[in-house]
Amino acid sequence: MSDQGARTRRRGEELIRAIHDAVLEEVVEVGVGRLTMDGIGRRAATPRTTLYRRWPGPIEVLLDALYHQHPVEEPAPGADDLRGDLIRALRLMVEWALSPAGRAVAAILTDPKGAALMSEALFERVFANRGGTFTRTVLRHYADRGRFPAELLTPVVADIGEALVTKRLIDTGAPPTDEDLAAIVDQAILPAIGLGP
Amino acid sequence: MSDQGARTRRRGEELIRAIHDAVLEEVVEVGVGRLTMDGIGRRAATPRTTLYRRWPGPIEVLLDALYHQHPVEEPAPGADDLRGDLIRALRLMVEWALSPAGRAVAAILTDPKGAALMSEALFERVFANRGGTFTRTVLRHYADRGRFPAELLTPVVADIGEALVTKRLIDTGAPPTDEDLAAIVDQAILPAIGLGP
DNA sequence: GGAATTAGATACATTCCTGTATCTAATTCC
DNA sequence: GGAATTAGATACAGGAATGTATCTAATTCC
């Protein structure tokens, strides 16, 4: 155990993790439609026999890798800082969206044959089966405390922030800055709940 | 010319159109990553030699097909119906997004290797190089006429409607109803320009 | 009607990917 | 240290896709 440097082969958990990391990177680079056992194996520096011993095909490797990622972090609204909490929630969303798992989920959801593979169970695993997402969690927290009329928190309003961030990511591929997130909160979300300028 | 039914082969423009239609359908079904000359040829009922005589590969067939689609229709704001015009603009967006060309553009923009192929020139051709998009055109029209303060028409505000529709399409794959579009206008866009309930 | 053009059909070699089989080498466990 | 387990390496056959070459048939044009 004391001479780990002399080992030439990965084994067990270490090998699985390397394969998981490799498939998440590979799908981001080539997309679901071009995902192959060959590609994953090359990236993980492991032969295909090693992959086929555990998984029937590349999609299964990918879904297994996603299954074993940490669930998405939940926004933690504070005492009384609606605006700040919304911005932090959106930042959390951006960070996740740009993570290997986030990018992989996006790749699956936007692939014509990929979306059907994203089972309900996996979706709940990734998002830890919470009743809300990013800004919805914050908005509900403050509506419950009377910060704004709860009836204004409609599905449309709950979606505004994340929709704008999602479109931004698609349009430019670049992460929005904190100024961008603040603009989304100030110009779109707060007016929608009656707290505009 | 009077006995078109007796012809067994398509030729010239008719053949090109069939190939264009085929590639737009094929990319929607299989995605950019799985687009092949074989697939296009099968769908167009034409051999690959016919394709290779004109295009070096499947991506070029696709981009050429897009180049020759009619540009996106522009919203035509009326005299004084901001809400109605916004809903109509979003409906126009949905119709385009669900068209063969719209779906193909989406497939390209969401493919890791596809987005880089969408040249500026093609983008302008598809969108006819107009300064605005769907709701932005309407909003600018009414801001110019003093319907609401022009300084409220920021890039974020201009994007709200389309962002919500885009996210809806991604999340559910189903087209929003007119009620959905009205909710987006009433709950998100109008409040953002100071015309909330 | 015949020449020119073009679409369609077929064949071929190559590459990549798939899935499997087999073997060797490394690692772990007793 | 030896047995068991597992990772890595290699080989193989078959299928799909690529790109090219060649030929035939259909269509258009003069």
Side-chain angles (χ1 to χ4, degrees):
Chain A
M1 285 294 291
S2 57
D3 198 356
Q4 303 198 43
R7 273 186 296 181
T8 63
R9 289 182 176 186
R10 298 153 304 181
R11 202 172 172 88
E13 218 11 76
E14 180 191 4
L15 174 66
I16 299 289
R17 188 163 49 244
I19 293 171
H20 281 171
D21 290 347
V23 69
L24 292 178
E25 285 177 29
E26 184 71 8
V27 75
V28 166
E29 173 167 335
V30 306
V32 174
R34 299 187 192 85
L35 196 63
T36 66
M37 284 301 210
D38 244 1
I40 300 167
R42 268 194 298 267
R43 192 174 287 260
T46 206
R48 287 182 288 119
T49 45
T50 305
L51 300 178
Y52 279 117
R53 283 193 190 111
R54 294 168 170 76
W55 299 283
I59 292 298
E60 287 81 9
V61 185
L62 176 59
L63 297 180
D64 194 51
L66 274 184
Y67 192 81
H68 288 94
Q69 296 301 301
H70 290 302
V72 180
E73 197 176 334
E74 183 164 25
D80 190 33
D81 183 12
L82 171 61
R83 181 175 180 272
D85 282 340
L86 283 171
I87 294 175
R88 278 186 283 275
L90 287 178
R91 195 185 299 135
L92 205 52
M93 176 192 172
V94 172
E95 281 166 10
W96 178 76
L98 295 179
S99 73
R103 289 175 183 272
V105 168
I108 298 176
L109 291 182
T110 53
D111 181 73
K113 294 174 185 285
L117 305 172
M118 193 80 181
S119 68
E120 193 62 38
L122 181 59
F123 206 81
E124 292 171 353
R125 166 91 180 180
V126 168
F127 287 99
N129 199 19
R130 294 187 300 253
T133 51
F134 297 96
T135 47
R136 191 189 301 258
T137 303
V138 172
L139 288 169
R140 191 184 289 121
H141 171 89
Y142 283 96
D144 289 346
R145 284 154 181 71
R147 182 75 172 80
F148 64 89
E151 66 268 14
L152 289 183
L153 183 50
T154 65
V156 165
V157 173
D159 236 14
I160 293 177
E162 290 169 31
L164 282 162
V165 168
T166 299
K167 188 163 184 296
R168 183 58 159 295
L169 288 167
I170 295 175
D171 285 349
T172 69
T177 64
D178 272 7
E179 284 71 41
D180 296 329
L181 301 183
I184 288 171
V185 170
D186 294 336
Q187 296 165 25
I189 303 181
L190 293 181
I193 55 175
L195 300 175
Chain B
M1 286 295 288
S2 57
D3 197 358
Q4 302 198 42
R7 274 187 293 181
T8 63
R9 288 182 176 186
R10 298 154 302 183
R11 199 171 175 90
E13 217 11 75
E14 180 190 4
L15 175 66
I16 299 290
R17 190 163 48 247
I19 293 171
H20 281 171
D21 290 346
V23 70
L24 292 178
E25 286 177 27
E26 184 72 8
V27 76
V28 167
E29 175 169 332
V30 307
V32 175
R34 297 187 194 85
L35 196 64
T36 65
M37 284 301 208
D38 244 0
I40 299 167
R42 267 194 297 268
R43 194 175 286 261
T46 204
R48 286 181 289 122
T49 44
T50 305
L51 300 179
Y52 279 116
R53 283 194 191 110
R54 295 168 172 73
W55 299 281
I59 292 299
E60 287 81 6
V61 185
L62 176 59
L63 296 179
D64 193 51
L66 274 184
Y67 191 81
H68 288 94
Q69 296 301 301
H70 290 302
V72 180
E73 198 176 334
E74 183 165 26
D80 189 31
D81 183 12
L82 170 62
R83 181 174 180 273
D85 282 340
L86 283 171
I87 295 175
R88 278 185 284 276
L90 287 178
R91 195 185 300 134
L92 204 53
M93 176 192 172
V94 171
E95 282 166 11
W96 177 75
L98 296 178
S99 73
R103 290 175 181 274
V105 168
I108 298 176
L109 291 182
T110 54
D111 181 75
K113 295 175 185 282
L117 305 173
M118 193 81 182
S119 68
E120 193 64 38
L122 181 58
F123 206 81
E124 290 170 357
R125 166 91 180 179
V126 168
F127 287 99
N129 200 19
R130 294 186 300 253
T133 51
F134 297 95
T135 47
R136 189 189 302 255
T137 302
V138 171
L139 288 169
R140 191 182 292 119
H141 171 87
Y142 282 96
D144 288 348
R145 285 155 181 71
R147 182 74 173 78
F148 64 91
E151 66 268 14
L152 289 183
L153 183 50
T154 65
V156 166
V157 173
D159 237 11
I160 293 176
E162 291 170 30
L164 283 162
V165 168
T166 299
K167 188 164 185 291
R168 181 58 159 286
L169 288 167
I170 294 175
D171 286 349
T172 69
T177 63
D178 272 8
E179 284 72 39
D180 296 329
L181 300 184
I184 288 171
V185 171
D186 294 336
Q187 295 165 25
I189 303 181
L190 293 181
I193 54 176
L195 300 176

